[in-house]
């Protein structure tokens, strides 16, 4: 099946300088995808020319006259920029002209606009931001990573259902294991929300493994880690900060003298392999889950490689029918919960 | 001033095999400290003999007939083990025979016992667990790391006061900068508790810099990061998990073939310097702050090097008079808050 991805070409810190080259690589590597570049036509024309690329059946340009800035409030973006590249890209998903969209624009505006335009899947109260993270075993899907600072136990259950559906669809894992992020493995740990979420998860049809701790994300103890957006965001950012510090320190040590620089040259193939395994750019595509359409968020500071991986994430989701899967799973789980409640009555 | 540290010699996964050698190194390196080893006299005698060490004026043994196990509940430890090595070590701080105590025993039991025996400093509602973390600039003190899963805004303010006092006393930083862990720098971010805590922090005499994010811990943006124990614990554990995964991957790449092993040998001095800079063992000593006595918690799995660093943390705190400093700071801040409230009325 051919997939069409709408790209907010203006979003992110580097705009078209990053999005257009990434799209060209993406089109070259995947013959069965098409891309619609959404943005200011003049700017796109210049960038395409610089890249020696021309539009055609697989690469179209869709005009949008406005750009949401990186520090703009969601309210301002929604109210004043109805023809923004971000919004028009989402509109293309809504109308069915695209199977997914990708934006490196500001997260708040993207979430608010996507929710307004696409609406949430029935049974999902609030969308969440999900991301695959590297782990010692495989990959771990973690959500919510910051869309919802305050969550109810039901929100956390819904995040688990969505994460499980995403992993099942895109990673072809039959019945993904799910863990609840907590500060200990015992049942009595954590706050009230977490304790109640644990009960809901136990009663669900999910493959729930109980509480997990922060380190389990990277141990790969479970396929999906569910948590409120405050905790998830702090865990993600702390990890990003630590990874950056370690990378900086490693670089400092290898560039300390001419001798260490020679060693660095010799060690280069080893270090390159190491870097490739944990390269955060490969994990750049964050999914806005729970919407009636596929929206992938790229980091604002993404480079061409990182943005290319976000495009792949969108393609994988579109190909695997993740929206359909979430919709079915939610109905299924809600029916189960309703049946249990009836039985209790 | 001579410092005496009481050591729960039986605590941790390795008991006296780790605590005794660490204590011997500690005594050798710091001539003005004394240690009281608390534990089962027979076990201690065997370990001391194995280490060719003898008791004397600087190294005493204080008998305790029981040991708190690593998975024992705080209730059980408190009720059934009144002569445990952990409790007796804390008693020595209470009685003034020791200036500080160190234990690698289970955190819940240690916190409950310490709180029961030593009591909290007036104005502090709940003690917190604080730790220095490495950062690109210097070190960042983060608290609470898990003692309090649910916190009020006042708790978070008190943690900030305690962390600021700890850094001022032990790191000789005059007016440490304080950040509030949140999911964005803007004021409207986060949950209600965090928003209210932000207001309290602004009104305090602390050197408050506003919200910080997870990555700021490792950027060293501020000297002290305050947060509830749920978020802090997840951030700490996620960091530990990521660091372990990266270390494993690096090792795997350097041991992949005979050629990469040769490169590893050549790169050894560089890698060793890198490792030394971020060695988690150096950051092993976590402080139980807010008590009327110094209690330092070592990781249960700590080795000799890690436990030695926990002993140093206890010594630094005892030397710098951190309890006195927290006590004064709390009174000062409470007076300030009371004055503001009167002014408002």
């Amino acid at each position: 099946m051919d997939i069409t991805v709408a790209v907010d070409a203006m979003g992110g810190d580097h705009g078209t300088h990053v999005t257009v080259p990434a799209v060209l690589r993406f089109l070259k590597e995947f013959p069965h995808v098409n891309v619609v570049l959404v943005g200011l036509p003049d700017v796109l024309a210049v960038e395409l020319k610089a890249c020696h690329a021309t539009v055609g059946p697989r690469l179209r340009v869709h005009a949008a006259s406005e750009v949401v800035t990186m520090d703009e409030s969601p309210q301002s973006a929604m109210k004043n920029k109805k023809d923004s590249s971000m919004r028009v890209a989402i509109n293309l998903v809504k109308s069915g002209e695209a199977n997914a969209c990708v934006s490196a624009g500001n997260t708040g505006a993207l979430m608010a606009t996507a929710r307004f335009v696409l609406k949430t899947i029935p049974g999902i109260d609030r969308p969440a931001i999900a991301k695959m993270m590297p782990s010692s075993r495989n990959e771990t899907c973690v959500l919510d990573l910051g869309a919802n600072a305050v969550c109810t136990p039901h929100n956390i259950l819904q995040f688990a259902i969505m994460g499980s559906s995403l992993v099942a669809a895109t990673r072809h894992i039959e019945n993904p294991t799910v863990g609840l992020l907590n500060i200990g493995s015992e049942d009595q740990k954590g706050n009230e929300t977490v304790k109640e979420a644990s009960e809901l998860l136990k009663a669900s049809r999910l493959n729930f493994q109980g509480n997990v701790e922060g380190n389990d994300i990277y141990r790969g103890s479970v396929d999906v880690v569910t948590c409120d957006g405050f905790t998830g965001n702090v865990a993600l950012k702390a990890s990003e900060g630590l990874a950056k510090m370690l990378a900086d320190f490693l670089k400092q040590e290898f560039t300390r003298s001419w001798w260490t620089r020679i060693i660095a040259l010799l060690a280069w193939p080893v270090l390159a392999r190491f870097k490739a395994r944990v390269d955060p750019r490969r994990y750049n595509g964050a999914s806005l889950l729970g919407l009636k359409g596929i929206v992938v968020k790229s980091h604002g500071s993404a480079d061409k490689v990182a943005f290319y991986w976000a495009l792949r994430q969108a393609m994988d989701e579109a190909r695997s029918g993740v929206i359909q899967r979430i919709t079915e799973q939610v109905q299924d789980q809600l029916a189960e919960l309703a049946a249990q409640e009836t039985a209790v009555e």
Side-chain angles (χ1 to χ4, degrees), chain A:
Chain A
M1 162 185 146
D2 270 25
I3 297 288
T4 300
V5 179
V7 174
D8 167 11
M10 314 305 293
D13 299 343
H14 314 293
T16 54
H17 297 320
V18 155
T19 56
V20 170
V23 160
L24 295 175
R25 176 183 166 192
F26 179 57
L27 287 170
K28 200 172 165 189
E29 293 192 11
F30 297 95
H32 296 285
V33 295
N34 310 310
V35 168
V36 184
L37 288 167
V38 183
L40 305 176
D42 296 351
V43 178
L44 279 167
V46 170
E47 189 64 41
L48 285 167
K49 198 176 171 195
C51 295
H52 309 291
T54 48
V55 294
R58 293 187 58 213
L59 178 64
R60 292 191 294 119
V61 166
H62 193 111
S65 61
E66 293 166 317
V67 177
V68 174
T69 58
M70 291 307 276
D71 53 359
E72 196 159 354
S73 78
Q75 293 73 25
S76 160
M78 297 270 288
K79 199 178 160 194
N80 307 323
K81 302 233 172 125
K82 291 186 180 157
D83 197 43
S84 72
S85 55
M86 181 189 280
R87 180 134 174 193
V88 173
I90 298 170
N91 286 342
L92 292 175
V93 176
K94 168 82 177 171
S95 68
E97 290 169 74
N99 305 95
C101 73
V102 179
S103 174
N106 99 52
T107 313
L110 184 67
M111 180 56 101
T113 308
R115 201 173 163 180
F116 177 77
V117 173
L118 298 171
K119 313 296 179 210
T120 50
I121 290 169
I124 297 293
D125 298 318
R126 292 161 75 172
I129 300 174
K131 207 168 178 176
M132 303 306 293
M133 314 267 259
S135 93
S136 293
R137 281 198 204 165
N138 206 321
E139 285 175 331
T140 309
C141 174
V142 186
L143 74 170
D144 173 32
L145 292 173
N148 310 282
V150 183
C151 289
T152 66
H154 277 92
N155 292 146
I156 292 174
L157 168 67
Q158 290 167 15
F159 299 164
I161 297 169
M162 299 193 291
S164 176
S165 302
L166 179 70
V167 169
T170 61
R171 264 49 177 183
H172 313 294
I173 295 172
E174 200 39 60
N175 199 11
T177 51
V178 174
L180 174 63
L181 194 57
N182 204 330
I183 60 171
S185 52
E186 308 85 357
D187 263 356
Q188 77 275 18
K189 289 275 184 181
N191 53 44
E192 284 311 309
T193 306
V194 166
K195 287 179 202 167
E196 284 179 43
S198 175
E199 294 306 315
L200 290 174
L201 285 160
K202 279 182 200 161
S204 77
R205 288 183 194 169
L206 292 167
N207 190 357
F208 180 53
Q209 303 291 307
N211 291 338
V212 294
E213 297 184 72
N215 50 336
D216 288 301
I217 295 170
Y218 299 102
R219 278 173 70 187
S221 315
V222 288
D223 299 312
V224 179
V225 170
T226 182
C227 60
D228 69 85
F230 192 93
T231 312
N233 187 273
V234 169
L236 175 72
K237 296 268 177 70
S239 300
E240 287 177 355
L242 175 60
K244 187 174 183 319
M245 183 190 79
L246 293 176
D248 288 349
F249 283 2
L250 199 57
K251 196 174 172 185
Q252 282 168 20
E253 292 306 330
F254 272 111
T255 53
R256 192 172 281 279
S257 68
W258 62 266
W259 173 238
T260 61
R261 282 170 195 268
I262 290 170
I263 293 169
L265 272 178
L266 283 168
W268 179 247
V270 184
L271 293 171
R273 281 189 70 132
F274 166 70
K275 204 180 152 191
R277 282 176 79 176
V278 293
D279 190 348
R281 297 180 299 181
R282 276 179 55 199
Y283 300 92
N284 175 43
S287 313
L288 271 52
L289 289 184
L291 301 163
K292 288 184 191 165
I294 296 166
V295 181
V296 170
K297 164 81 175 90
S298 155
H299 214 289
S301 65
D303 66 6
K304 296 167 198 178
V305 176
F307 198 79
Y308 158 84
W309 281 96
L311 293 166
R312 283 187 62 163
Q313 176 69 21
M315 175 186 72
D316 288 346
E317 289 186 32
R319 281 219 175 116
S320 62
V322 71
I323 305 286
Q324 184 61 24
R325 191 144 190 154
I326 293 175
T327 309
E328 286 166 10
Q329 278 285 312
V330 172
Q331 296 314 318
D332 194 40
Q333 298 284 351
L334 288 181
E336 174 76 18
L337 279 178
Q340 286 177 12
E341 277 166 21
T342 312
V344 171
E345 283 163 14

